[in-house]
Amino acid sequence: MTLDPILVEDQITAILGQLCVCKKSVRVAYAEVMYRAWSQAEGAVKTKLEYSGLQEIMRSCVHSALPSSCLSLRFFLSYFHSHKTARGVDSMLQVLYEPIIWRSMKVANPIVRSNASWLFIDAFPLMDSEKASQKEIDETLGKQFGILQDMLMDDPSVTVRGVLVHGVCQILSKYWELIPVKASRFLLGQLINKLAFDSSSSAIRVAVCTGINHLIDNHLSHSTLEGLLPAMENVLHDISEQVRIAFLQLLTTMKSLRSLDLFKVFPKDYPQQLIARLSLERGDGLKLLCGILVDSLCPSEASDSADRCVAMMIKKKDREACLKFFTSVYGYGLVTLKYMCKLIALLFRVLRRVKEDESDAFAKRRALCQILTAIWKSVAEDLATKEHKLLKKGLAQVITSDSINSLVSVCLEDSESLSVKLAFLQLCPYLPTNLTDKLTPML
């Protein structure tokens, strides 16, 4: 780009005409060219680049009716935002944005307010960090946070509030150390205690969950979030599936953190709430729930998993959740086939050891047959392949003819419970083939 005073305006016009239609890589090149030209220019040429070029792009971005055009222009401007630490960039951005941003965030048109909010968030903080005193910097930040707080709670547009939720979390994550604790805590309190339960729009509730999930990347925020996040526990039961999925993604992130362990942050009965939710979820929500609970319900020792499985199946309120979890956990790739085969073998042994004189013998047998059928069905296809021949052989060594005969005796011939007979018959097709052939005449 030439810095000739006569040609520079034509070059600016040519670039402006291409920004919304050119490829991303070309847009980056235009931004780099204009930044270098601005860095080297002086006097009238620099003024033209600033007011005829950059400020016009800012104005076009704010007033763009098309989201795609706004995004393209924001992408171009982000090159300058990323160089705010370079000499003169901060003050230049403050001067150019000043007559555009604050006025546009108060206009009646929600699209303009939304675009202006995005630009403000991208450029935050708008101040002359080189010349301003610490007192002036604190005053400027206080004023800008005041604008964010007011719009976050009072703006009538769902779109604008959604932008500001994302923006507040983005700003807090990036500048946590610079922001007063009182301001950070107040903003997070507004998000968690009010906007996370905004009945006017599920999009706002989703934005809160995704925004906090992003904020968690900054470990400095954990001590503050630890005291606020318990207020979000009931988001798990939100009527909107998208909100629940966003919240479960947040819990999944927390699960991997020592400093913000979800089982320590939320109430002691929260694992039970998560288990109860298993029977109601499906698709992505169920997958995320299984991922959160897998370490609790499928610990490294399969024997512990078998104990928990039996305990859940005996409880009527947990039975459906147990069936859903153990039917899905292998399909989602959360445990290995070897682990599931060990679990089948252990549960089969428990089934054999149920005694007639136990008060709940019928209920135990029925529950164990049901869970064995569900687990076996989930792995049957993979277990039938040549690749897993040894695992299938190992199961056949545990489930012998004698064990089958004893179960036929107690579950079919001597059992007075029709539900036990039906549950055992549903299990029979998954037993080893050689044993099923022997069993056929008995049936």
Side-chain angles (χ1 to χ4, degrees):
M1 185 175 188
T2 180
L3 297 180
D4 184 287
I6 299 172
L7 297 176
V8 72
E9 197 156 344
D10 292 336
Q11 293 175 41
I12 289 170
T13 303
I15 289 174
L16 290 175
Q18 290 293 313
L19 284 181
C20 293
V21 294
C22 65
K23 292 182 180 178
K24 195 174 182 179
S25 56
V26 177
R27 207 172 293 128
V28 173
Y30 281 145
E32 189 175 351
V33 165
M34 188 169 279
Y35 176 74
R36 287 184 180 180
W38 175 84
S39 301
Q40 298 170 19
E42 294 178 353
V45 173
K46 193 161 195 168
T47 302
K48 278 189 177 182
L49 286 169
E50 289 176 353
Y51 289 93
S52 300
L54 284 174
Q55 196 174 63
E56 278 306 307
I57 293 170
M58 294 170 182
R59 189 173 282 108
S60 297
C61 182
V62 166
H63 293 97
S64 174
L66 296 174
S68 58
S69 298
C70 179
L71 195 61
S72 298
L73 297 174
R74 278 178 58 208
F75 182 81
F76 175 89
L77 290 167
S78 68
Y79 191 90
F80 286 82
H81 300 153
S82 65
H83 287 79
K84 288 183 76 175
T85 53
R87 187 176 179 181
V89 175
D90 229 5
S91 57
M92 177 268 289
L93 289 173
Q94 184 194 25
V95 169
L96 296 183
Y97 273 125
E98 190 76 34
I100 299 172
I101 290 282
W102 311 125
R103 186 184 301 169
S104 299
M105 289 178 80
K106 294 178 180 178
V107 298
N109 190 326
I111 295 174
V112 173
R113 293 202 308 277
S114 175
N115 294 344
S117 298
W118 272 126
L119 269 188
F120 172 52
I121 292 158
D122 292 344
F124 184 91
L126 285 173
M127 60 184 180
D128 188 348
S129 55
E130 294 175 26
K131 296 178 182 178
S133 64
Q134 188 59 49
K135 184 181 179 182
E136 289 172 329
I137 289 174
D138 290 342
E139 287 177 358
T140 302
L141 285 174
K143 190 182 292 184
Q144 292 180 18
F145 271 114
I147 293 169
L148 276 177
Q149 290 169 14
D150 292 342
M151 292 188 68
L152 188 64
M153 299 308 300
D154 300 333
D155 197 285
S157 169
V158 168
T159 303
V160 176
R161 292 205 308 279
V163 168
L164 290 166
V165 168
H166 283 295
V168 165
C169 292
Q170 184 179 308
I171 289 168
L172 289 175
S173 177
K174 194 173 181 180
Y175 299 104
W176 186 270
E177 292 173 275
L178 302 176
I179 300 166
V181 176
K182 189 177 180 181
S184 302
R185 194 172 184 83
F186 177 81
L187 285 169
L188 285 173
Q190 296 295 304
L191 293 178
I192 291 170
N193 296 317
K194 294 183 179 179
L195 292 173
F197 303 96
D198 189 333
S199 59
S200 65
S201 171
S202 61
I204 298 294
R205 305 197 296 276
V206 169
V208 172
C209 295
T210 54
I212 292 174
N213 202 355
H214 175 72
L215 175 59
I216 283 176
D217 289 342
N218 187 328
H219 69 279
L220 297 173
S221 67
H222 293 182
S223 58
T224 302
L225 285 169
E226 189 175 7
L228 294 170
L229 282 174
M232 288 185 72
E233 64 171 301
N234 289 327
V235 177
L236 177 67
H237 309 292
D238 195 284
I239 193 171
S240 166
E241 184 181 10
Q242 291 305 311
V243 176
R244 295 197 305 274
I245 288 172
F247 183 65
L248 289 169
Q249 287 169 340
L250 170 61
L251 296 185
T252 302
T253 303
M254 290 175 66
K255 179 175 173 278
S256 63
L257 300 172
R258 289 184 180 180
S259 58
L260 204 62
D261 187 339
L262 75 94
F263 294 116
K264 292 179 181 177
V265 170
F266 291 102
K268 289 182 180 179
D269 69 335
Y270 211 58
Q272 189 58 45
Q273 289 189 48
L274 293 168
I275 289 170
R277 193 74 217 173
L278 278 167
S279 59
L280 303 172
E281 289 295 344
R282 56 189 174 82
D284 291 339
L286 179 61
K287 184 176 181 179
L288 288 164
L289 260 180
C290 288
I292 292 166
L293 291 167
V294 68
D295 293 338
S296 301
L297 300 182
C298 290
S300 55
E301 291 295 327
S303 57
D304 293 336
S305 181
D307 292 340
R308 292 172 196 188
C309 183
V310 172
M312 288 175 69
M313 285 301 294
I314 291 172
K315 291 181 183 178
K316 190 175 181 180
K317 66 174 184 176
D318 291 338
R319 192 173 300 157
E320 191 178 346
C322 181
L323 286 167
K324 207 161 187 182
F325 175 82
F326 285 99
T327 302
S328 308
V329 70
Y330 174 71
Y332 290 141
L334 299 171
V335 293
T336 63
L337 183 58
K338 184 178 180 180
Y339 186 97
M340 295 300 277
C341 288
K342 284 182 181 179
L343 184 58
I344 288 172
L346 288 164
L347 289 171
F348 196 84
R349 283 172 183 162
V350 175
L351 175 60
R352 284 191 62 201
R353 290 171 186 167
V354 177
K355 296 178 181 179
E356 287 292 334
D357 57 355
E358 290 182 35
S359 59
D360 56 351
F362 289 155
K364 271 189 178 178
R365 284 186 186 128
R366 182 182 67 246
L368 284 163
C369 287
Q370 287 174 342
I371 192 64
L372 275 166
T373 303
I375 293 174
W376 221 320
K377 186 178 181 181
S378 71
V379 301
E381 189 175 339
D382 286 352
L383 197 58
T385 61
K386 291 181 180 179
E387 184 183 350
H388 300 112
K389 189 176 180 180
L390 290 176
L391 289 176
K392 190 174 181 180
K393 188 177 179 181
L395 272 179
Q397 289 173 351
V398 174
I399 304 170
T400 61
S401 296
D402 290 341
S403 64
I404 290 289
N405 289 336
S406 64
L407 282 175
V408 167
S409 176
V410 296
C411 293
L412 291 182
E413 295 174 357
D414 300 334
S415 178
E416 298 175 5
S417 171
L418 180 60
S419 62
V420 173
K421 291 179 181 180
L422 290 173
F424 183 71
L425 288 171
Q426 288 173 339
L427 173 62
C428 288
Y430 298 102
L431 297 173
T433 307
N434 59 328
L435 298 178
T436 307
D437 293 340
K438 295 177 184 178
L439 188 63
T440 304
M442 300 179 185
L443 304 177

